[in-house]
Amino acid sequence: MTIPIRFEHAEAAAELIEAWDAAGCNQASVNPNKKPFSIVIPPPNVTGALHLGHGLNNTLQDIVVRTKRMQGFETLWMPGTDHAGIATQAVVERRLKELENKSRHDLGREQLVERIWAWKDQYETRILNQLKRMGCSCDWQRTRFTLDPICAAAVRATFFDLFRQSLVYRGKRLVNWDTFLQTAVSDDEVFNETKKGHFYHIYYNVIAPKPGEPRRVEIATTRPETMLADTAVAVHPDPAAAFAKLESEAISKLTAATEKEKADCQAELDAILKRRDEMLVSLEQLRDMALDGRMLQLPLVGREIPLVADLWAKPEMGSGCVKITPAHDPNDYEVGLRCGLPMLNMLNPDGTVNAEGGKYEGLTIPQARKRVVEDLEAIDQLGDVEDREIELPHSDRSKTPIEPYLADQWFVKMDTLAQSAMDAVSDERVKIFPERYRKGYLDWLGEKRDWPVSRQLWWGHRIPIWATHGLTEVAATDLVARVRMLPAHAAGEVLEREEAGEDGTRTVMVCLRQENETLEGEVEALGLVRDCDVLDTWFSSALWPHSTLGWPEKTAELDYFYPTSTLITSRDIITLWVARMVLMGLNNVGKIPFSEVFIHPKILDGQGETMSKSKGNGVDPIDVIDKFGPDAMRFGLARLATETQDVRMPVQYECPNCEKLIDQTPKNRSLPRIDCQHCGKPFSTQWAELDEDKLLIKGAVVSDRFETARNFVNKLWNAARFALMNFEGYTSEKIDVASLPLEDRWILSRLSTVTRQVTEAIERYQFADASGCLYNFAWDEFCSFYVEIAKPRLSDETQRATAQRVMAHVLDTLLRLLHPITPFVTESIWKHLGEAAPIRGLGEPAAANAFVMTAAWPVSDT
RNA sequence: GGGCGCUUAGCUCAGUUGGUUAGAGCAUCUCGUUUACACCGAGAGGGUCGGGGGUUCGAGUCCCUCAGCGCCCACCA
């Protein structure tokens, strides 16, 4: 038998992926004779290709999945991808702008969505191919997409059900408005930038002040132009109490302070007392005026606005009074709700001032600010203007400032849903590992903030609501009656709700349970118009564990594989995703979605920064696989996946000319071309844009951290190669362990211990321990000791047969144990071993399984 | 501002309930073409375990404190 001296992973992997697939090794089906084990993949975003972070996530899942499969469970790993709402739409829109200089409005909704589908198809293919090449043993026939018809049906059924329970409602909310892209962006797509600005003090006149009362009140703001939409000025309802509280806090801080801090704390306390002495009387007077219903006159506009008492006005800040602009500031919005203030929107979607701004209409924000300040100064109502550093929110997509903008949004009411998800973790029906992540989950849910689920986007699940606004009571009643007459209404496919609008008119809303063009036509014929918005991406992600199994249909798969067994994911989406899956699973199916959650570390680059394509430090698993092989990538990642540490992974460019590695630095990681420091020849990077750069060969981005693992894979290959070269004349026979020589009994005993350790480590998600244990055993004990000591026995005719049998058995077991981590090399060796020693094992030897992948997991006898 | 984590060899990381001389891989140096493997083997150098204090017969490990790094959440008229 001739076996190459190196494990040729590229050929082997391609063949094995096909062979496993052809044999249906990854496929799972309902099997009453077996216990189920199921995992749903955290669906990668179709925004772009996978990097090593995904490599780690999916390697760990595959290790668990392959182990469980070998342990005899009917094992399902559900694959799929996520449409990733705004992220994907933004990528496609940006390309549209760059390549064709068009906005989404130039294309229109339908065409843009079509373009995004094309993008999705391209990246979904790429992502699935990356996963396959990593060796992920997903049931590919079940591959889902969060926007596919199966997931869409679940989304519709969920929304319909929440609508029926009145757990979903419509309300106003301030959204982060990107005036350039003219869309709302989510909080995590907003970054703050500190800029130089001013803090303007402005005076508002009191209307008909009583004797002794001030003529005007002072407020301060960094955004004076928003005064045009002010609807109140607030003052604290109990300044004395507020100061008392501050004082007692400062005192307790002072008592607890170290010698070093004492001076600072004392100064802080003194400042509070000084301010109280100066301000308390006038603030209490203003408070009394507020309670007395005194009105102020808004300068420049002339509108009368009330002075109100509200906790938001902090006596220790500014002048102690704060202007309230409910439609353009999140906190003011809350005040507006509490005090029942009107919400005046002064902006057009493009960020210019609208008709509410009177003579300032049509100006941009900076223009309006300048004019308002000038005009206030002219009428002598402008006070001090201080310089100040201001943190200004910017849109990550357009890099322009965000405007808080009041818009109609749909919300999911969280109180009972959140409580159910908290209970599931509190009483350990859902266990989170490592345990320290429980706190974040419980704290976040504990706030029970309603979940805004609508997004002003085109890419996503459209909200299944049709509505007519501005109806008279009679017209509304009539419309409701007509809706109820639809045959689908009787069939439970239609729900309607009538609401009073702000201006006393009525709104009728209709929710449809399923996609149905005919029915939609009928509804639209009644004058109802479909909501333009789509749902938050996490809405469909939250359903992933049951939607992928066919819910709301009562499928056999759902019954068998749900709840899934475990969820393996990254820590940054514990709240956004994990928590929501728990509450939606409980609401929809009535059962938790998974009983265990394992949170794995993150992969950072050599500088300690998270990997991302936009930084240029993202490593494509395919590049690592090409250079080191899929087993080395998997083993290397598993070896580093410890419980407490993030994985720091220095990254290098591989020169395509001389194959030498060049360290990546913050400087060179964004260059379009690099001259190799070893061979002097240039190569291009992902940033190449000029034609002359693009003509160069592209250098892969890899990490030399995988060398150790690659060497290990090769070591194993060669140890097996040695064994196989010595298996000529192999025969099988029952082995009496007690009569074996010491070295055999020793290795068997060690094997048993290692089997137990590896099994337990994987059970506890201690992947670094499992791989470390196997590394040491295979290299130091099996290769360095046992193989060496077997050499003379293999050339001694009297001992040869026994040595072969034990060797075959040990190798067999080692391959099984290593298979979940390094599936390709083990399966390749297994095939050779099957040819050389088809019948093997201690006790009663038996014919080996065709694939190690579906062979039985070893059981330890210690 | 609140919470969590981290700091051990040049680099990336282990180090169980405190217990001999603190480990591994890579890198470095020396030697080695013994028929599985140079992606190998034998050996060497390299650490006051971030700083300081404490508990203890004994601290990398427990407590306090200072400093630095990272992440999550909240907020700043």
Side-chain angles (χ1 to χ4, degrees), chain A residues 822-844:
Chain A
T822 55
F824 296 104
V825 69
T826 50
E827 194 70 270
S828 297
I829 298 171
W830 186 267
K831 198 171 145 214
H832 288 299
L833 183 61
E835 286 160 14
I839 299 173
R840 54 187 189 259
L842 299 177
E844 296 293 339

Side-chain angles (χ1 to χ4, degrees), chain A residues 437-509:
Chain A
Y437 292 112
R438 274 169 58 114
K439 188 172 154 52
Y441 172 101
L442 291 171
D443 288 353
W444 186 81
L445 279 174
E447 292 185 24
K448 298 186 178 175
R449 275 191 296 203
D450 288 351
W451 175 15
V453 288
S454 43
R455 296 291 123 100
Q456 291 67 44
L457 293 172
W458 292 349
W459 174 243
H461 292 281
R462 272 189 84 167
I463 290 176
I465 292 283
W466 281 254
T468 307
H469 304 280
L471 296 169
T472 63
E473 207 172 327
V474 176
T477 312
D478 178 58
L479 181 53
V480 167
R482 284 154 167 273
V483 169
R484 287 183 179 160
M485 274 159 60
L486 293 168
H489 192 279
E493 292 291 315
V494 178
L495 280 171
E496 81 290 336
R497 189 189 290 171
E498 192 189 331
E499 266 180 12
E502 295 154 49
D503 50 1
T505 63
R506 305 194 80 79
T507 292
V508 171
M509 288 176 281

Side-chain angles (χ1 to χ4, degrees), chain A residues 159 162-163 166-170 410-413 453 497:
Chain A
F159 195 94
L162 294 174
F163 189 80
S166 292
L167 287 178
V168 62
Y169 65 92
R170 214 169 63 114
W410 286 93
F411 292 85
V412 173
K413 209 163 171 41
V453 288
R497 189 189 290 171

Side-chain angles (χ1 to χ4, degrees), chain A residues 452-578:
Chain A
V453 288
S454 43
R455 296 291 123 100
Q456 291 67 44
L457 293 172
W458 292 349
W459 174 243
H461 292 281
R462 272 189 84 167
I463 290 176
I465 292 283
W466 281 254
T468 307
H469 304 280
L471 296 169
T472 63
E473 207 172 327
V474 176
T477 312
D478 178 58
L479 181 53
V480 167
R482 284 154 167 273
V483 169
R484 287 183 179 160
M485 274 159 60
L486 293 168
H489 192 279
E493 292 291 315
V494 178
L495 280 171
E496 81 290 336
R497 189 189 290 171
E498 192 189 331
E499 266 180 12
E502 295 154 49
D503 50 1
T505 63
R506 305 194 80 79
T507 292
V508 171
M509 288 176 281
V510 167
C511 185
L512 302 187
R513 204 177 79 89
Q514 289 186 50
E515 188 166 344
N516 178 337
E517 274 185 35
T518 320
L519 180 55
E520 286 168 17
E522 291 172 35
V523 166
E524 280 161 17
L526 295 175
L528 291 150
V529 179
R530 183 156 196 187
D531 197 299
C532 288
D533 290 355
V534 300
L535 287 163
D536 180 10
T537 299
W538 298 108
F539 193 93
S540 52
S541 317
L543 314 180
W544 189 245
H546 57 276
S547 67
T548 50
L549 288 167
W551 186 90
E553 300 301 318
K554 289 185 169 48
T555 62
E557 274 89 355
L558 185 69
D559 191 47
Y560 183 71
F561 288 115
Y562 189 97
T564 66
S565 310
T566 185
L567 179 82
I568 298 182
T569 189
S570 165
R571 76 173 92 94
D572 36 15
I573 49 178
I574 295 173
T575 53
L576 296 175
W577 190 45
V578 179

Side-chain angles (χ1 to χ4, degrees), chain A residues 65-98:
Chain A
V65 162
R66 284 181 184 268
T67 306
K68 291 292 170 181
R69 191 181 288 119
M70 290 174 74
Q71 285 174 339
F73 291 88
E74 183 67 24
T75 304
L76 168 64
W77 185 7
M78 177 73 73
T81 51
D82 194 300
H83 69 282
I86 189 162
T88 314
Q89 181 171 329
V91 170
V92 174
E93 273 193 69
R94 192 162 55 225
R95 275 176 57 92
L96 190 65
K97 185 82 194 167
E98 282 169 7

Side-chain angles (χ1 to χ4, degrees), chain A residues 202 204 223-231 298-303 305 323-325 328 344-347 353-361 363 368-369 371-372 375-376:
Chain A
I202 307 174
Y204 289 8
R223 304 185 56 198
E225 71 286 358
T226 61
M227 65 159 295
L228 300 172
D230 278 2
T231 55
L298 197 57
L300 307 179
V301 183
R303 193 165 59 238
I305 58 172
K323 68 194 269 306
I324 302 298
T325 323
H328 296 285
L344 281 187
N345 177 12
M346 57 171 279
L347 288 180
V353 176
N354 67 18
E356 290 291 348
K359 64 174 178 172
Y360 302 94
E361 183 178 1
L363 297 180
R369 177 171 305 171
R371 287 274 302 280
V372 164
D375 292 352
L376 282 170

